[in-house]
Structures are given as structure tokens and as C-alpha cells.
Amino acid sequence: MTADAPELAPVEGRAEIVFRPMLKGDTPFFAHSWLKSFQRSDAVRGVSSETYFYFHHRLLERLLQRSRVVMACEKRDPDRLHGFACFEDLSGTCLLHYVYVRGSRRRLGIGAALIDEALRACKPLPGALVWTHRTKGSDRWLGKYARERRLAALYNPYLMHEATR
């Protein structure tokens, strides 16, 4: 991590885990984690690996140009990454593109804390959470998350494409 990196924000209830913005050196973890985990989703079933990786990598590059990414990392070692949330603030809606947490760090509240951080970053505080990538369990997990926080929740994959907005 560079010396000019922003302050690390602690994850509530998880003193050893903090948030920070994505740094250039995080790109391989970000891209690899997203591409490998989303490849197992029903959304891309039947798409060849070559086609999937080519086109979805291009999509990630475009999303990074207009989105924000929050990384979850170790407080003592900010280069030790546990997950991320990629999102956009879209006119009072938090457009959540993807949330990823390493398998060994799941069920610790990191995913929910990453979404909380994304929601706080959207101004004004959104009343809706929209996600663009459906994965195994995302409907159930994000639906529960939204109910607990009294947010409207909607899956809309078309909003990942700037041309459809």
C-alpha cells in the first residue's frame, strides 16, 4: 500500500478488518475473484470460458471507469484482501454491481459491512438497493439484507450497461 493511501475505516464489530478504496495493485485480486466466482453462476451457464472471460473482463474494465470499489482488508496488513464491493451512486439508488468475500472469510458479516459502506458512500442515503449480477444465493442473501435495513431491493442486470440507462 502506498504512503498516500487514504485512511482505513474499521469494519464495525470486526477490529481486525478495515475498509479502504481500491488501489491499482488490487486490480488482479478484484478481476480474478469476480470473474472466477461469477463464472459459476447460472447467469453465464452454457457460455464458453473463452467467451465469458473475454467479454466479462471488458465489462469489468468499463464498470471500473464509472464505479467505486471498497476493499475489505486486514488492519495490520492492508494488502491482505478479504473482499470487495463494486457499486455506483445512481440518482439516489445504490447500484451494486458485485460483492465478493473470500471463502475463508464468509459468514463473518464482511459482505453486509461492505454493502453498508457502499450505501453510506451514496448521497443522499439511498432508499433502494439494486444489483446487477445474480449469483447463487444472491437473491436470498440480498433480499434478507434489504429487509433488515428496510430498503427496496431489485435485481436489474441491464443497469450494468451504460447504454440502457
Side-chain angles (χ1 to χ4, degrees):
M1 191 162 109
T2 63
D4 60 341
E7 287 284 319
L8 300 175
V11 175
E12 192 171 315
R14 310 266 178 254
E16 75 280 3
I17 298 171
V18 293
F19 292 130
R20 64 168 174 77
M22 184 170 135
L23 304 173
K24 189 171 186 154
D26 300 335
T27 305
F29 171 81
F30 170 84
H32 177 78
S33 300
W34 185 330
L35 292 170
K36 289 301 280 184
S37 63
F38 190 66
Q39 187 183 28
R40 295 188 295 266
S41 76
D42 291 339
V44 295
R45 180 181 285 148
V47 177
S48 74
S49 288
E50 184 177 288
T51 299
Y52 167 74
F53 284 108
Y54 175 78
F55 284 102
H56 221 80
H57 194 273
R58 290 179 65 198
L59 175 65
L60 293 187
E61 288 173 351
R62 288 190 181 113
L63 288 174
L64 276 176
Q65 291 173 0
R66 66 177 197 260
S67 300
R68 294 176 62 188
V69 180
V70 175
M71 307 300 289
C73 61
E74 288 288 321
K75 183 177 184 176
R76 292 182 185 160
D77 182 3
D79 292 325
R80 186 166 176 205
L81 304 173
H82 296 300
F84 62 83
C86 178
F87 64 96
E88 285 181 75
D89 184 356
L90 188 64
S91 304
T93 298
C94 185
L95 184 58
L96 185 64
H97 292 298
Y98 208 75
V99 175
Y100 172 82
V101 176
R102 269 188 211 273
S104 64
R105 304 302 283 173
R106 292 187 184 149
R107 298 186 184 269
L108 298 175
I110 297 171
L114 281 163
I115 299 172
D116 288 343
E117 189 72 9
L119 286 168
R120 276 192 290 277
C122 294
K123 302 290 183 217
L125 191 62
L129 176 65
V130 179
W131 66 95
T132 62
H133 284 71
R134 180 176 263 161
T135 61
K136 295 179 190 293
S138 65
D139 289 345
R140 181 178 39 82
W141 189 85
L142 285 167
K144 179 180 181 235
Y145 174 91
R147 279 190 308 278
E148 288 173 354
R149 285 154 179 83
R150 294 189 166 103
L151 289 169
L154 175 70
Y155 167 65
N156 187 338
Y158 302 106
L159 292 176
M160 77 177 92
H161 305 287
E162 201 165 20
T164 60
R165 299 197 237 158

